[in-house]
Amino acid sequence: MAAATTPGRPDPASSPPADADADFWATAYAALAGALPAMAADARPVIAGFSAFVDALVRLDHAEVLLADGAPPEARRLGQELLRRAQAGIGGEIGLSWPEGDAFLDARLPHVTRVGGTSAQIANVLAPLGVDVLLALADRSAAQIGVLDPGVLLAKGDDLVAVGAVQPGGDSAKPRHWIFESAAGSSIGGETVPRSTRVIVRLADDGPELDDAFARVSPKLAARAGAAVLSSLVSTPDDQIDLAISAVSGLARSWRAAGLPVIHQELADYGSRPALPEKLLSALRGTITSVGMSLSEWRTLSGGAAPEDTDAVRRFAEKWSLDRVAIHADEWAMAVTHGDAAREQKALMTGCLLASARAGLGRHSLPVRCPENATFLPLPAFAPLADDWSVVACPAPYLPSPASTIGLGDTFVAGCLLVLGQPSP
């Protein structure tokens, strides 16, 4: 269900009628795209930690070498798993201990490099809009700096400096993440792919960007910032996780103490580490205000609960002392929230708009427009909630055959934070 109309808020993007149809949503998204520059100009700074990587992007239908005769056993196992996932329409992440893998894939697969990591992706979405984003970044190698937008801010000493003014230094100790993408309707392994997906392959675990300068500067910025985002820590090795969680939760508490109103935790596909989300959320309970995840991640985390069971989403929010839980799918986004329903509606729509525009082009670009060929499908029957909880939802501008699915979830989060971090009206 969409949010109820709020008196004094005529903006259709924040107050959709209950019977809103596809034409309504197309008009509302077009209006939202037109309002985006002014919205970004008024935005307060965003703090982003603690993941940044260099991604190597590969089309799965160009990766036949993984299954070729004579390929290393690791390559063949990887190729078979990627094929299985593509044919089942499953994305997510794979951790594969293969130290020689980066050199093998680099030499044999056509690929391009892009920015990776939730916080770095979000910074690269918001900075071109003119939003000040402070990114935690310990790795300032040429490879890592080279994939960041020049306007992203880093901490240097006790000051802030734009990436474009940073002199790269040092060699990155982090292996690249390899991203294999399959497009709906393409033929892979003799079968038609049912859904566009991407699979992130990590060839080694790598810890978070624990940046000493960021740790000094970010609590000062938090006093005038609008929001912060914490990445999932999904790739942090087991022997580093306790230290990483302690460092992240300590910084987050300092931001809240400085008055930061919104701290969002974006979860991930934890695969073989199902206990990690609860460990992370336990350490951050009472500090973070918002949690988000994809539909598949919600189903895993909730033990198979449908998102239409909004009471299950509310119970999750109450268990972890959250003001907001958001779930995003290909065709829609929804949130259960204590906050202003009209603001939440605009946040979800802004996230969907940015993600859809990126999906249509295969990359983030400005100006942002809702794709002309997008469709708006009926929303699931989300059950309403009583008391002081609201259920808010919107259809996404849906593209059955996107140019790319890389970074869409992080782009959605960036759009939500742009609105949720705005000054109160």
Side-chain angles (χ1 to χ4, degrees):
M1 60 177 291
T5 301
T6 304
R9 290 184 178 271
D11 180 0
S14 59
S15 303
D19 60 351
D21 58 12
D23 288 340
F24 171 87
W25 290 110
T27 300
Y29 272 107
L32 185 60
L36 190 62
M39 189 191 310
D42 291 338
R44 292 184 290 187
V46 172
I47 299 171
F50 292 83
S51 61
F53 306 105
V54 177
D55 285 347
L57 277 53
V58 183
R59 282 180 50 180
L60 186 54
D61 53 356
H62 291 170
E64 300 92 342
V65 68
L66 295 177
L67 296 171
D69 291 340
E74 297 91 344
R76 294 186 64 84
R77 286 196 294 270
L78 174 60
Q80 290 163 357
E81 175 61 13
L82 291 171
L83 185 63
R84 181 191 73 80
R85 289 184 177 225
Q87 292 172 346
I90 300 171
E93 300 192 15
I94 298 173
L96 178 63
S97 181
W98 185 18
E100 303 82 12
D102 188 74
F104 177 89
L105 299 174
D106 182 63
R108 291 166 176 81
L109 296 181
H111 61 277
V112 296
T113 54
R114 295 285 188 272
V115 70
T118 293
S119 54
Q121 288 269 17
I122 289 170
N124 264 26
V125 172
L126 294 178
L129 291 169
V131 180
D132 287 340
V133 185
L134 174 61
L135 176 67
L137 192 69
D139 174 11
R140 303 195 179 182
S141 63
Q144 184 65 74
I145 290 290
V147 294
L148 291 172
D149 185 272
V152 172
L153 298 177
L154 304 179
K156 184 177 181 181
D158 293 323
D159 299 319
L160 302 181
V161 60
V163 162
V166 171
Q167 183 67 36
D171 296 324
S172 174
K174 299 180 300 187
R176 288 176 292 184
H177 290 182
W178 285 80
I179 317 296
F180 293 85
E181 192 164 28
S182 53
S186 62
S187 179
I188 297 177
E191 296 189 25
T192 300
V193 173
R195 174 176 176 260
S196 295
T197 58
R198 62 96 181 98
V199 178
I200 301 170
V201 178
R202 292 181 283 104
L203 300 175
D205 287 334
D206 31 29
E209 293 292 313
L210 298 181
D211 174 357
D212 291 340
F214 175 89
R216 288 194 304 272
V217 171
S218 60
K220 301 173 187 176
L221 182 63
R224 59 183 180 87
V229 59
L230 307 177
S231 56
S232 63
L233 301 185
V234 66
S235 62
T236 304
D238 287 338
D239 62 355
Q240 298 178 29
I241 195 65
D242 288 339
L243 177 62
I245 290 176
S246 176
V248 168
S249 59
L251 267 178
R253 284 193 296 272
S254 74
W255 301 339
R256 287 286 284 167
L260 187 65
V262 176
I263 302 180
H264 177 82
Q265 171 77 62
E266 188 67 10
L267 299 180
D269 175 1
Y270 289 88
S272 61
R273 306 170 78 188
L276 184 51
E278 183 153 343
K279 186 171 189 175
L280 186 59
L281 291 169
S282 295
L284 290 164
R285 180 163 34 200
T287 302
I288 56 173
T289 63
S290 170
V291 161
M293 68 204 86
S294 70
L295 175 58
S296 61
E297 290 157 3
W298 164 252
R299 286 172 171 158
T300 299
L301 202 60
S302 66
E308 292 89 338
D309 180 5
T310 54
D311 194 55
V313 184
R314 177 191 58 78
R315 291 195 302 272
F316 180 90
E318 291 179 337
K319 177 179 179 179
W320 301 115
S321 303
L322 302 167
D323 296 330
R324 172 185 185 268
V325 174
I327 301 170
H328 47 91
D330 291 349
E331 305 91 351
W332 49 263
M334 65 86 69
V336 167
T337 179
H338 266 319
D340 184 316
R343 175 176 287 208
E344 184 64 50
Q345 188 78 48
K346 184 172 287 187
L348 295 178
M349 288 184 64
T350 302
C352 288
L353 172 65
L354 292 177
S356 182
R358 180 169 182 164
L361 292 172
R363 66 188 188 284
H364 180 63
S365 67
L366 299 173
V368 174
R369 292 188 178 91
C370 188
E372 293 181 359
N373 57 338
T375 59
F376 300 92
L377 304 179
L379 289 169
F382 297 114
L385 292 172
D387 302 323
D388 56 350
W389 290 96
S390 298
V391 181
V392 184
C394 65
Y398 176 60
L399 300 172
S401 298
S404 175
T405 59
I406 303 297
L408 298 189
D410 296 334
T411 303
F412 168 79
V413 176
C416 290
L417 294 179
L418 176 60
V419 175
L420 297 175
Q422 294 281 346
S424 297

